[in-house]
Amino acid sequence: MADELHNATASDLASELAAGRVSSEEVTRAVIARAEAVDERVGAFLHRDAENAVAQARASDLRRRNGETRGPLDGIPVSLKDAIATLDQPMRCASRILENFVSPYDATVTRRLKDAGAVLWGRLNMDEFAMGSSTENSGYRATANPWDLERVPGGSSGGSAAAVAAGETILSLGSDTGGSIRQPAAFCGIVGLKPTYGLVSRYGLAAFASSLDQIGPMARSVEDTAVLLQVIAGHDRYDSTSWNAEVPDYVRALEEEPRRRRIGLPREFFGKGLDGAVRTRVEAVAEAYRENGFEVREVSLPHAAELALPVYYIIATAEASSNLARYDGIRYTRRSEGARDGIDLYFKTRGEFFGAEVKRRIILGTYVLSSGYYDAYYKRAQQVRTVIRREFERVFEEVDLLLTPTTPTPAFPRGDRIEDPLSMYLNDIYTLSVNLAGLPAISVPCGHTETGLPVGAQLIGPSFAEANLLAAAHVYLRDHPHHHERPPLA
Ligand code: GLN
C-alpha cells in the first residue's frame, strides 16, 4: 500500500484487512492520532469519541477472526456530518440551539453503516443547519481547508470534506441541498456524490429543505464513493420519498467501461464569473474524455443557469422556515431563561440561539410564504422549478452526462464572503439546479491552481444513473489520478 494508513483508501484498506496485514484497531488508531495531531488547526470535528471508536474497531477485528466479516466497510472509520443522527451521540447541526441534544435513535444511513461493520468516528462540523458554503456559519468553530489553512473548506459539509482530505477519517457522509457535498469536495480535492433524490433515505437527517436534501458519500476515490453509496442506498419505509426499486451494483459498474458516453458541456456554465484556472482545468477534463473516445459537445441549459439561484432561495428558505419551526424551546432544545409565557419562550429561545444566517433564511422563507406574496414568489418558483427539470430532461435526450465546473472559483479566503450573503450564495451557481431537478451529480478532483488549490469538475446524470456517473468519473481519475495528491499538512 502506497499511503500511510490514515491516508489510504477504504478499498486498499479492505484488502489489507482481508489479508490480515493490518487490523481495524490499527487503522482506527491511525485516524485518531492524525485527528489529534491536526484537528486543532483544521477544525473538522465537533465531537470525537476515540474510546468508542476503538471499541467498535476491536469488535470488527473479532468478527474477522471468527470469519464473520460483514463486507468491504467492516472495520473502516466513517465519520458523519453533525446533521445525521447516531444513537446516543450528540447531534447539534452545529447549532447552539441543539447544544445539549443527544440523538435517541439512528438515522437509516447510520443503521446501515453499523450493520456493515463500519467504525463510526466523530461528529463533523458544518454550517449551522446546513445553511452556508464555507462552514463559517457553524455555531461552534470554523473549519479550515487542509490545502491552505487560511481558506475555507467549503460548506455546508466542510467538516466532512476537510476530515477526509486531512486524513482524519477514511470516509465521511455529508448532505447536499444545493451543493453542500460537491462544493466542499471540490474545495478540498476529494470525491463527493449527491445521489438522485429518493435514492438514500433522509430518515434521521435533520431537515433543511425536504424536497432538496440528500445524504451522500465523500471519499478519496471513486471506488470508495461507490462502496459507501452501495451501503447507504435503497428503499426505506421510514422515508416516504424513498425510491422503491432494486439498487444496482455500483462497485461492479466500475469494472466496465461506461456504456453511455455522450457528454454535454452546458455553454451557460462556462460563462462570465468563471475563474480562469477552474475553466482551464475543467476544459482539460473535457479534452481527456474526448481522447478517451467519449463524444463531447456543447449543449444549452439557459433556465437552469439563469434561474436556479433565485428559485432555490425561495424554495429552500420556504421549506426551512417550516422545518425549523420545531426548534421552539420546548422540544429538543436549550431554552432561554426567564420567559414570561410560551410565545415569549419561543421568540427568546430562537432569538438567542439561532445564528444570523439561519435567522435570515427563516425570515426570507416566512416572507415568500406569506399571504399576498405566496403566488408571486413560492408558486412562481415551483413553476420555474418544473421548467428547469424539463430542461434537463430534454438535454438528457441528446447526451448521457453533463460536465461542468463544480464551483466558479477555488476555495476563497476565510472571512472574505461572510459579510456578503449574495457573494456566498453565488458559489453554488453550478450545483443548485441539480437539486431542483432531483438529479445525481459527482464532483471529482481535476488538478490544482497555480497556488496549489484543488479544482473540482462536476458530472451530472439523469435520475438514478449513478452507476454510469461513477463509471465515467472512474475512467477520468484512472487516467488522471489527481485524487492521489494529499494536502501538505504535517
Ligand atoms: N450553500 C447552499 C445554502 O446555503 C447549499 C447548502 C446545502 O446544500 N446544504 O443553502
Side-chain angles (χ1 to χ4, degrees):
M1 209 170 48
D3 289 301
E4 299 159 283
L5 286 183
H6 64 265
N7 269 330
T9 60
S11 19
D12 281 350
L13 290 170
S15 351
E16 296 297 296
L17 286 164
R21 281 193 289 269
V22 70
S23 67
S24 171
E25 183 170 348
E26 286 171 293
V27 176
T28 302
R29 287 195 187 280
V31 293
I32 292 170
R34 177 69 174 167
E36 276 164 7
V38 301
D39 207 57
E40 192 125 335
R41 287 169 287 154
V42 177
F45 284 93
L46 287 178
H47 177 78
R48 301 201 301 269
D49 187 346
E51 221 172 288
N52 182 290
V54 170
Q56 296 173 63
R58 286 188 176 149
S60 165
D61 288 331
L62 186 63
R63 279 196 294 278
R64 198 172 294 276
R65 278 199 297 279
N66 294 339
E68 291 161 2
T69 294
R70 296 177 183 168
L73 284 189
D74 203 336
I76 304 288
V78 182
S79 307
L80 306 187
K81 184 175 183 175
D82 198 30
I84 301 171
T86 304
L87 175 68
D88 292 337
Q89 291 285 312
M91 174 176 177
R92 294 177 289 197
C93 300
S95 181
R96 288 286 169 189
I97 211 165
L98 288 173
E99 194 156 312
N100 305 314
F101 186 71
V102 171
S103 176
Y105 72 109
D106 275 329
T108 295
V109 294
T110 309
R111 172 109 307 280
R112 290 190 179 170
L113 285 169
K114 286 182 175 174
D115 290 346
V119 172
L120 294 178
W121 159 231
R123 307 285 305 164
L124 294 165
N125 200 15
M126 56 187 281
D127 287 297
E128 184 179 4
F129 288 109
M131 297 170 186
S133 307
S134 67
T135 314
E136 292 166 297
N137 292 334
S138 168
Y140 296 89
R141 64 178 301 181
T143 300
N145 189 315
W147 292 88
D148 176 348
L149 298 172
E150 300 305 314
R151 289 178 186 259
V152 303
S156 64
S157 314
S160 304
V164 171
E168 301 178 71
T169 184
I170 305 299
L171 299 167
S172 67
L173 290 183
S175 67
D176 190 313
T177 305
S180 279
I181 288 174
R182 293 159 285 157
Q183 185 256 20
F187 279 11
C188 292
I190 66 162
V191 181
L193 181 132
K194 189 226 68 88
T196 307
Y197 186 78
L199 181 66
V200 176
S201 170
R202 290 179 296 112
Y203 180 74
L205 169 69
F208 164 9
S210 312
S211 77
L212 302 163
D213 299 339
Q214 269 293 287
I215 296 172
M218 303 178 77
R220 298 193 181 114
S221 71
V222 174
E223 292 96 313
D224 283 12
T225 307
V227 170
L228 187 48
L229 183 64
Q230 198 80 54
V231 168
I232 62 172
H235 183 249
D236 177 21
R237 66 192 178 90
Y238 294 127
D239 174 357
S240 63
T241 61
S242 164
W243 183 58
N244 197 347
E246 188 84 10
V247 175
D249 191 330
Y250 299 120
V251 182
R252 226 198 21 234
L254 304 184
E255 291 163 12
E256 293 159 24
E257 289 296 309
R259 296 207 190 107
R260 294 185 294 279
R261 306 166 69 86
R262 296 171 303 170
I263 295 184
L265 304 177
R267 181 180 313 132
E268 297 82 4
F269 287 61
F270 291 84
K272 119 174 156 295
L274 177 59
D275 175 88
V278 177
R279 177 192 303 277
T280 308
R281 295 308 321 153
V282 178
E283 284 174 353
V285 178
E287 200 41 49
Y289 277 117
R290 228 178 244 126
E291 280 166 19
N292 219 302
F294 282 71
E295 178 191 323
V296 181
R297 68 164 100 140
E298 202 174 272
V299 294
S300 178
L301 285 166
H303 295 95
E306 272 286 308
L307 297 173
L309 189 92
V311 169
Y312 172 86
Y313 276 95
I314 292 170
I315 292 175
T317 58
E319 293 185 19
S321 69
S322 163
N323 275 326
L324 271 61
R326 73 190 66 175
Y327 305 107
D328 53 8
I330 297 173
R331 293 167 293 175
Y332 311 103
T333 48
R334 264 171 100 179
R335 17 186 102 158
S336 172
E337 303 293 326
R340 289 187 313 275
D341 52 32
I343 295 291
D344 196 38
L345 175 67
Y346 185 82
F347 281 121
K348 279 206 170 115
T349 301
R350 291 163 67 87
E352 273 173 46
F353 301 126
F354 275 146
E357 185 60 28
V358 172
K359 288 179 188 164
R360 180 179 296 123
R361 306 283 178 111
I362 293 172
I363 292 168
L364 276 170
T366 310
Y367 178 78
V368 299
L369 288 174
S370 54
S371 70
Y373 296 105
Y374 181 92
D375 283 353
Y377 296 112
Y378 186 70
K379 189 164 161 226
R380 204 73 202 284
Q382 291 292 10
Q383 289 163 337
V384 180
R385 181 176 185 175
T386 303
V387 170
I388 292 173
R389 197 171 49 232
R390 296 219 176 108
E391 195 165 270
F392 275 106
E393 279 165 13
R394 245 191 330 269
V395 92
F396 282 128
E397 287 168 10
E398 274 177 63
V399 295
D400 305 306
L401 296 158
L402 294 165
L403 170 65
T404 77
T406 307
T407 59
T409 67
F412 47 87
R414 296 166 69 172
D416 231 31
R417 303 197 181 186
I418 196 73
E419 303 297 339
D420 180 358
L422 190 58
S423 81
M424 189 70 90
Y425 297 173
L426 278 166
N427 232 276
D428 301 315
I429 196 84
Y430 302 139
T431 49
L432 296 169
S433 56
V434 169
N435 300 71
L436 291 169
L439 302 171
I442 189 168
S443 179
V444 293
C446 64
H448 292 82
T449 64
E450 272 173 20
T451 53
L453 298 172
V455 175
Q458 172 175 243
L459 285 167
I460 309 168
S463 290
F464 301 109
E466 277 82 359
N468 196 58
L469 204 58
L470 288 159
H474 185 59
V475 163
Y476 171 71
L477 283 185
R478 187 185 60 199
D479 301 339
H480 304 84
H482 296 294
H483 61 300
H484 289 325
E485 292 152 29
R486 303 277 179 260
L489 183 72

